[in-house]
Amino acid sequence: MDEDLQIDSDEDLYRNPVYYEPAGRNLDLDRADLGVSHGQDLLNVLIRMRGRVPVEKRGLICPDCRDLRARRVPMYLVQRGDVWLASHYRKPGEKPVSHESDEHLARKERVAKDSEDHGFRADIESRTSDGHACLDVRISGANGIVLGYEPQLSAQTVRGMRSREGFRRRSGIQSVWDFADPDHAGIGTVPYVRTPNLPASVIRVQKNPIAIRDGNFVLEEGQCTQSGALTRCPDKPYDPENPTDAGYCGGWHRLLVPAHQSSAFTGEDGLTLTRFIVEAAAGERIPFQRGGHHGWLPAQQWQKYMEANGPAVDEKERRPSVRQGDRRDRCTEDRPASEVRSEPKQKRGSRSIVLESRPWESEAARVPVDASGKAIPLCRLGCGQPASLPGPEGLPEHFSCRRKHEA
């Protein structure tokens, strides 16, 4: 019965949802009872069907294929250790069923069209030379640059993202991973941008701009005071639970900071996905890696970064988290990799990367004094500046600092 079944390899398995027609509901393969009454008995029945009942008649189908493609695609169960996975039925030689969402497809089509319109060749679903990765969009840029645009709308693990990026990096690809979720595990783990979560109908209209909300960094340096060049102290990260809190250490920092969190950001930059992709293909935006954190810098900012910090030290080559093999039949890029559990999300505030910090020497050497020669204490609210007048509690503070603190 199963002679004509194309068995998926371990690298092609995903935690796909599976629908059981007789029960009229999805099965939960993470539970011993499958999430239904008499589930253990049902599992035993499905196991006994192997080699006896055709896959098409076992009652397991893909709910996504049914809902998104109006197709009845049979599924079968695969056991890996103590984990059960559902795979799509296909005959030998048949292509795997694609489950890319309409939004995923729209992003690929939009970037390919925009790249072609700006003179850069773009190919959708192009394989790397070693066959270990399939690029959603391959863009042939200037001076031998090859971009791989990878929209990633589903949850993934850090391990999975690093593995997939490793395949592309070893093939000489500059990846641009596009995330819509601000707390996606891949943010900072791979070279990325973040764009709004828009419907496919909006994305496909080329005149609609798709804003870049994160991933584009700039280099900033200066004194860490309320009147200094930095928006806030990088050693006192932004607290989303207390957004009005301000903190400064009075020292000096050089750091890479997301453009939207920089002191020069006005909200009127207008950086769009189209402009970013075109400039990256032209070599005007360059990916960086610092201390395991990834992002992109404009070419001028990259030059400043290199002059101030020298070449980045590459991390040791990571061993692939999946074995080398032909990944031509990967089912979909829009599903979590077939690892047993997804890693918990980490809420992120500021993504600033500190390159160098030191005390503000000139200010430390010149202690402010009052008319009688006594040292003027610093504001108790942490702005780093001297405050000669006491507040209601009798402690030195600035009226403006107190208003911000109470806001």
Side-chain angles (χ1 to χ4, degrees):
M1 288 290 181
D2 293 342
E3 291 81 3
D4 63 344
L5 177 63
Q6 176 69 53
I7 302 295
D8 287 330
S9 67
D10 288 355
E11 295 181 16
D12 297 323
L13 291 174
Y14 290 84
R15 302 185 74 83
N16 295 305
V18 58
Y19 182 84
Y20 186 54
E21 291 178 306
R25 61 179 297 175
N26 286 4
L27 300 182
D28 186 350
L29 300 183
D30 288 330
R31 296 176 53 177
D33 62 359
L34 305 182
V36 298
S37 59
H38 308 292
Q40 186 59 57
D41 294 335
L42 171 59
L43 179 59
N44 293 332
V45 169
L46 293 172
I47 293 174
R48 288 197 299 269
M49 287 184 180
R50 294 176 174 177
R52 300 179 181 180
V53 179
V55 177
E56 301 97 321
K57 297 182 179 180
R58 297 178 190 175
L60 300 176
I61 67 169
C62 175
D64 286 349
C65 292
R66 178 198 60 193
D67 298 338
L68 300 176
R69 302 288 183 264
R71 294 178 55 191
R72 183 185 183 276
V73 177
M75 304 188 80
Y76 62 94
L77 298 183
V78 180
Q79 187 176 19
R80 292 294 182 266
D82 296 330
V83 178
W84 285 97
L85 303 166
S87 192
H88 300 82
Y89 169 71
R90 55 192 176 96
K91 295 182 179 180
E94 288 184 346
K95 294 182 178 180
V97 178
S98 173
H99 293 281
E100 293 179 338
S101 65
D102 201 24
E103 289 77 14
H104 185 105
L105 292 171
R107 286 172 185 264
K108 294 197 300 185
E109 295 166 2
R110 170 68 179 272
V111 166
K113 288 180 182 177
D114 288 345
S115 299
E116 295 277 3
D117 290 347
H118 286 81
F120 297 110
R121 177 182 173 182
D123 300 297
I124 295 178
E125 296 296 329
S126 174
R127 302 205 63 79
T128 56
S129 58
D130 59 9
H132 293 151
C134 181
L135 308 181
D136 280 335
V137 182
R138 180 191 181 97
I139 303 165
S140 300
N143 301 319
I145 294 175
V146 180
L147 289 185
Y149 172 69
E150 308 289 342
Q152 187 62 64
L153 305 182
S154 66
Q156 296 282 329
T157 63
V158 170
R159 178 186 176 190
M161 293 301 304
R162 285 174 176 164
S163 172
R164 292 168 64 187
E165 169 61 17
F167 282 121
R168 289 155 175 79
R169 185 178 63 252
R170 287 187 288 273
S171 296
I173 307 298
Q174 288 188 8
S175 300
V176 182
W177 295 89
D178 183 3
F179 302 109
D181 181 0
D183 295 307
H184 196 286
I187 289 182
T189 304
V190 293
Y192 75 99
V193 294
R194 183 169 64 84
T195 56
N197 188 12
L198 301 172
S201 58
V202 173
I203 296 171
R204 285 194 169 97
V205 179
Q206 284 186 277
K207 67 179 181 180
N208 289 337
I210 303 175
I212 294 290
R213 291 183 171 175
D214 197 358
N216 180 47
F217 286 69
V218 294
L219 187 145
E220 287 196 334
E221 58 185 5
Q223 189 181 6
C224 185
T225 64
Q226 191 173 28
S227 59
L230 304 181
T231 303
R232 62 179 303 107
C233 179
D235 294 327
K236 298 180 180 179
Y238 172 76
D239 181 6
E241 303 297 329
N242 190 13
T244 60
D245 177 47
Y248 301 93
C249 68
W252 179 93
H253 304 287
R254 177 186 291 131
L255 61 154
L256 297 176
V257 60
H260 69 280
Q261 294 177 352
S262 68
S263 59
F265 181 70
T266 63
E268 301 177 357
D269 179 38
L271 180 60
T272 64
L273 180 61
T274 299
R275 175 182 157 194
F276 181 92
I277 292 294
V278 170
E279 291 182 355
E284 297 174 10
R285 294 189 183 272
I286 302 172
F288 73 85
Q289 178 183 357
R290 182 79 181 193
H293 297 273
H294 294 255
W296 291 81
L297 284 167
Q300 292 181 344
Q301 293 285 318
W302 169 260
Q303 187 62 35
K304 290 175 59 180
Y305 168 75
M306 293 292 288
E307 291 173 355
N309 300 275
V313 179
D314 293 333
E315 289 187 280
K316 294 181 179 179
E317 283 293 320
R318 299 177 183 273
R319 296 182 60 186
S321 60
V322 292
R323 65 175 180 270
Q324 298 283 346
D326 186 0
R327 299 165 64 86
R328 187 172 292 106
D329 296 330
R330 177 172 287 283
C331 175
T332 172
E333 293 287 347
D334 241 6
R335 287 216 179 283
S338 57
E339 300 182 41
V340 177
R341 299 286 180 187
S342 292
E343 298 173 7
K345 289 184 178 180
Q346 295 180 352
K347 296 293 182 181
R348 297 173 174 86
S350 173
R351 305 184 199 279
S352 298
I353 302 169
V354 181
L355 302 176
E356 184 182 357
S357 293
R358 65 171 183 260
W360 185 251
E361 300 168 356
S362 60
E363 289 297 323
R366 188 175 65 250
V367 178
V369 295
D370 58 17
S372 62
K374 295 182 179 180
I376 301 176
L378 298 180
C379 175
R380 73 178 184 90
L381 298 177
C383 73
Q385 296 294 319
S388 57
L389 298 178
E393 292 85 359
L395 299 174
E397 64 179 40
H398 297 110
F399 178 71
S400 59
C401 293
R402 184 177 186 85
R403 291 185 60 184
K404 290 182 180 180
H405 185 72
E406 294 176 345

